[in-house]
Amino acid sequence: MRQKILFDVDYTLIDTAKFKENFKRKITGLLDISFEDFLLAEQDYVKKDCGFTDFVPQDYIDFISDKFNFDKLMIAEAFFNDENFSNIVFPDVYPSLEILSKMYDLGIFSEGFKEFQLLKLRKTGLFDFFDENLIFIFRRKLTESNLKLLPQECFVVDDNIESILALGEFSRFKPVWINRKTDRADGKYFTIFNLENFENILKNYPA
């Protein structure tokens, strides 16, 4: 049986900051306003759920439409435009997943709204790399009940160090911190900075 690797989505596989910039620029073009003015108006949008900040596409579209008195369907079309998804995958991801998929069973372990996360995976062409039985997307992924659903002895790649620390409390997981923001490595947990040569790096994962 092949080993399994689960990946987080945002800031692990996808440059979410780039995606945000893309759809905001697409919408500002539609509204015919400056990017700076749009960002200023957008600051009024805050979606809170149980103390967490969550992004809900339809709520955001409704807010922008109401804020600028603009057609919601047109805002939605600008938001979901394929061009917004065309350049948001980190450059090391496609070639690495191509190699890894021949050696491991690949899956997703992500937090957020499942429909939106899957949309990003499909729009970027990443979805086909993953086993549909290994896609775990939860509103809050680190709950005890959700962690019990993950396969034993799987590698979990995540950019969030807090997730890595939480997973590290369980011997049945093999957490890998992917730090795309700095050159800092964690002293306790396995750290990488991109997915290049990841198949060889995994051979050195501590037993």
Side-chain angles (χ1 to χ4, degrees), residues 24-82:
K24 290 175 186 180
R25 290 195 180 279
K26 186 70 70 175
I27 293 173
T28 57
L30 176 67
L31 298 175
D32 195 25
I33 62 173
S34 72
F35 192 63
E36 292 72 22
D37 287 344
F38 179 80
L39 293 180
L40 187 63
E42 184 200 43
Q43 289 179 2
D44 292 333
Y45 174 79
V46 177
K47 176 67 178 179
K48 293 185 177 180
D49 178 51
C50 301
F52 293 87
T53 300
D54 294 293
F55 184 80
V56 184
Q58 191 57 56
D59 287 355
Y60 178 82
I61 290 166
D62 290 345
F63 170 82
I64 296 300
S65 174
D66 293 341
K67 185 77 174 180
F68 293 96
N69 192 28
F70 207 88
D71 182 75
K72 289 184 181 181
L73 181 58
M74 295 181 70
I75 296 291
E77 289 176 347
F79 181 93
F80 291 111
N81 190 291
D82 287 347

Side-chain angles (χ1 to χ4, degrees), residues 161 175-179 184-187 189-193 201:
I161 189 60
V176 177
W177 183 33
I178 182 166
N179 179 7
R184 180 176 76 88
D186 184 81
Y189 294 106
F190 205 71
T191 306
I192 59 174
F193 303 98
I201 293 171

Side-chain angles (χ1 to χ4, degrees), residues 39-198:
L39 293 180
L40 187 63
E42 184 200 43
Q43 289 179 2
D44 292 333
Y45 174 79
V46 177
K47 176 67 178 179
K48 293 185 177 180
D49 178 51
C50 301
F52 293 87
T53 300
D54 294 293
F55 184 80
V56 184
Q58 191 57 56
D59 287 355
Y60 178 82
I61 290 166
D62 290 345
F63 170 82
I64 296 300
S65 174
D66 293 341
K67 185 77 174 180
F68 293 96
N69 192 28
F70 207 88
D71 182 75
K72 289 184 181 181
L73 181 58
M74 295 181 70
I75 296 291
E77 289 176 347
F79 181 93
F80 291 111
N81 190 291
D82 287 347
E83 292 181 358
N84 298 337
F85 299 84
S86 64
N87 62 345
I88 63 173
V89 176
F90 289 109
D92 53 281
V93 170
Y94 288 122
S96 297
L97 293 183
E98 185 70 41
I99 294 171
L100 290 168
S101 64
K102 294 178 172 63
M103 306 165 63
Y104 297 88
D105 294 328
L106 307 183
I108 293 292
F109 180 47
S110 179
E111 182 167 291
F113 291 92
K114 185 172 184 178
E115 183 178 344
F116 186 41
Q117 295 297 75
L118 289 176
L119 177 71
K120 285 185 283 187
L121 292 174
R122 290 191 172 102
K123 288 264 193 179
T124 55
L126 291 174
F127 185 82
D128 290 341
F129 286 108
F130 303 106
D131 183 337
E132 292 189 40
N133 295 315
L134 294 176
I135 293 181
F136 305 93
I137 302 174
F138 307 106
R139 290 289 295 108
R140 297 289 171 250
K141 70 182 186 181
L142 295 175
T143 65
E144 183 178 353
S145 59
N146 288 336
L147 290 177
K148 287 181 178 178
L149 299 175
L150 304 186
Q152 296 283 327
E153 300 296 320
C154 65
F155 293 99
V156 183
V157 184
D158 201 311
D159 72 290
N160 189 334
I161 189 60
E162 298 303 321
S163 294
I164 296 301
L165 295 175
L167 291 166
E169 296 296 315
F170 301 89
S171 60
R172 65 181 185 271
F173 301 130
K174 299 178 180 180
V176 177
W177 183 33
I178 182 166
N179 179 7
R180 292 189 181 273
K181 297 179 180 178
T182 71
D183 58 359
R184 180 176 76 88
D186 184 81
K188 183 177 180 181
Y189 294 106
F190 205 71
T191 306
I192 59 174
F193 303 98
N194 55 60
L195 293 177
E196 293 180 4
N197 297 314
F198 190 44

